[in-house]
DNA sequence: AAGTCAATCCCATAAATGGGTGATTTTTAA
DNA sequence: TTAAAAATCACCCATTTATGGGATTGACTT
């Protein structure tokens, strides 16, 4: 039984959502709130698995709401509920801790599907949001490894060390002899000031 | 017209994919490669919009392939192509710059749909991968290493492995014999599904 | 033309590691 | 209170790694 809480200021919508959830098998609406005023104590009482949160709440926005929920409850997943496919807002909500979002124009089926998907570890969202998330996630630190001045070959090999390859596998991968692999790794160790594969891997991952 | 390049070692599959793409309206296969050997020059000639990349290529893996492509071509989007729904690998590929993935068992329609979706700015991927990306992006994945159920001792030792200590040093540090260290490490390997210190360190750092 | 550096290779040896099997004691959980 | 899990230790064997040395080729710089 998936326990869901709703935070939505529009009374009509909130009520029909509550009905929908309670009529759906395996689902139960354990709280139905018009705003975030007492959200922490309300959720503490009702102990939902999932909160369906309107993103455009008056006064305190749903994005703040996500933050509040996530700070106080580790195990509650938040699904944003919004009228517009507003990438910016949704993106912010996800940064704040939401795991997905749902358009208000969605059909009853889509709504319950999204809730189930979220409950099962998914992340219901549109393609464009997904791409946005992925991008901001990819553009990470400009390699702190470069300070060590590894050559191209050395960098390649260091990457592969992180993958856990042995000298033999490395040799096969790059079509060179184990001796050469050894030499390269010697140089890598010198440059990184380490003395084992494990240390090199650790340093490689901590930097770039 | 969406120009697609394919990198796939299985000849049969590669050929039928090529056919599929060429038979699909608005799509064209401009390169069909069995490996990554000359991928940079090949792609420079064919100038695809999208690369469909097998994740499990022999020798140089598709994950490296993504890195290579992304380093050399800003505007090419990479779609991973994989047999298994292997979260770890796919996640790595996305970190490396892929924008989505596709299962090999997908229907022709699903394949072309995913390509179109990618071309239009989407990010075709499964719910569980999406969630994983979101989590690592929220930088607060509470799960992390704990999913492996390491004991207190095993966790201590794993931390020290990351520091680069040898078995001998570990034994001295914890006032126990090297044999015991070995045993603990064996258990750690079993639980993490790895077979070397380097792999364990990599996994430890990638998770918690 | 001389020098540097990356990349390639080889030899040899000692230490460290990974895999397997088996055992005892203490702690924890059912 | 019994069973399971954790922590401890030992032995064997094959492979891998680390470390030391030395060497050649080609590309690029000066």
């Amino acid at each position: 039984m998936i326990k869901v809480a709703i935070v939505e200021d529009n009374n009509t919508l909130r009520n029909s959502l509550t009905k929908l959830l309670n009529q759906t098998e395996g689902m139960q609406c354990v709280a139905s709130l018009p705003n975030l005023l007492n959200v922490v104590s309300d959720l503490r009482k009702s102990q939902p698995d999932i909160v369906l949160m309107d993103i455009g709440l008056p006064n305190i926005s749903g994005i703040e709401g996500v933050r509040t929920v996530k700070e106080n409850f580790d195990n509650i997943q938040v699904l944003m509920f919004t009228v517009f496919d507003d990438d910016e807002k949704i993106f912010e909500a996800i940064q704040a801790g939401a795991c997905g979002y749902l358009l208000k124009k969605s059909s009853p089926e889509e709504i319950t599907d999204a809730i189930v998907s979220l409950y099962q570890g998914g992340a219901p969202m549109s393609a464009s949001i997904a791409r946005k998330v992925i991008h901001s996630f990819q553009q990470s630190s400009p390699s702190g490894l470069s300070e060590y001045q590894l050559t191209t070959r050395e960098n390649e090999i260091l990457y592969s060390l992180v993958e856990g390859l042995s000298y033999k596998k490395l040799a096969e991968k790059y079509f060179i002899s184990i001796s050469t692999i050894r030499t390269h790794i010697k140089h890598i160790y010198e440059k990184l000031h380490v003395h084992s594969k494990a240390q090199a891997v650790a340093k490689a991952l901590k930097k770039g």
Side-chain angles (χ1 to χ4, degrees), chain A:
Chain A
M1 182 64 84
I2 308 177
K3 293 190 289 180
V4 184
I6 298 171
V7 186
E8 165 62 59
D9 62 313
N10 180 309
N11 289 324
T12 316
L13 181 54
R14 190 175 65 254
N15 288 332
S16 52
L17 269 176
T18 307
K19 265 192 200 166
L20 167 65
L21 297 185
N22 283 329
Q23 280 167 4
T24 305
E25 211 170 336
M27 234 172 253
Q28 188 190 354
C29 177
V30 295
S32 190
L33 317 172
N35 57 53
L36 291 160
L37 284 186
N38 299 305
V39 72
V40 175
S41 63
D42 284 339
L43 295 186
R44 209 181 298 284
K45 277 181 214 157
S46 50
Q47 300 208 309
D49 303 303
I50 287 175
V51 175
L52 197 55
M53 173 100 62
D54 183 12
I55 218 169
L57 293 170
N59 300 320
I60 309 177
S61 86
I63 294 173
E64 285 260 344
V66 177
R67 257 181 226 113
T68 309
V69 171
K70 278 293 177 183
E71 275 168 17
N72 289 280
F73 307 94
D74 288 342
N75 300 319
I76 298 183
Q77 304 299 335
V78 182
L79 188 59
M80 302 314 286
F81 200 49
T82 173
V83 184
F84 304 109
D85 208 338
D86 177 348
D87 284 12
E88 277 302 315
K89 289 258 189 247
I90 294 166
F91 191 62
E92 267 186 69
I94 286 176
Q95 276 187 301
C99 271
Y101 85 100
L102 196 55
L103 288 179
K104 288 194 180 177
K105 67 180 176 194
S106 305
S107 70
E109 260 199 330
E110 286 174 325
I111 293 175
T112 53
D113 281 358
I115 290 174
V116 170
S117 161
L118 187 66
Y119 187 71
Q120 292 174 344
M125 70 179 88
S126 78
S128 75
I129 291 290
R131 175 72 77 96
K132 217 165 197 173
V133 170
I134 280 188
H135 272 157
S136 91
F137 157 75
Q138 283 170 346
Q139 61 190 19
S140 52
S141 67
S143 180
L145 263 185
S146 53
E147 62 185 289
Y148 297 111
Q149 307 251 54
L150 296 185
T151 68
T152 314
R153 200 49 146 182
E154 287 162 358
N155 265 307
E156 285 175 350
I157 290 176
L158 183 53
Y159 270 117
S160 301
L161 282 187
V162 172
E163 319 260 310
L165 299 190
S166 68
Y167 287 15
K168 196 192 269 182
K169 294 281 178 195
L170 286 168
E172 286 168 15
K173 176 169 178 177
Y174 295 110
F175 303 109
I176 57 182
S177 83
I178 292 186
S179 306
T180 310
I181 294 289
R182 277 168 159 12
T183 308
H184 286 307
I185 288 182
K186 262 186 250 180
H187 293 154
I188 292 173
Y189 287 0
E190 279 166 19
K191 290 182 182 174
L192 299 195
H193 307 295
V194 299
H195 307 280
S196 75
K197 221 152 71 158
Q199 288 177 332
V201 167
K203 203 147 195 171
L205 282 173
K206 283 177 188 166
K207 307 275 172 173

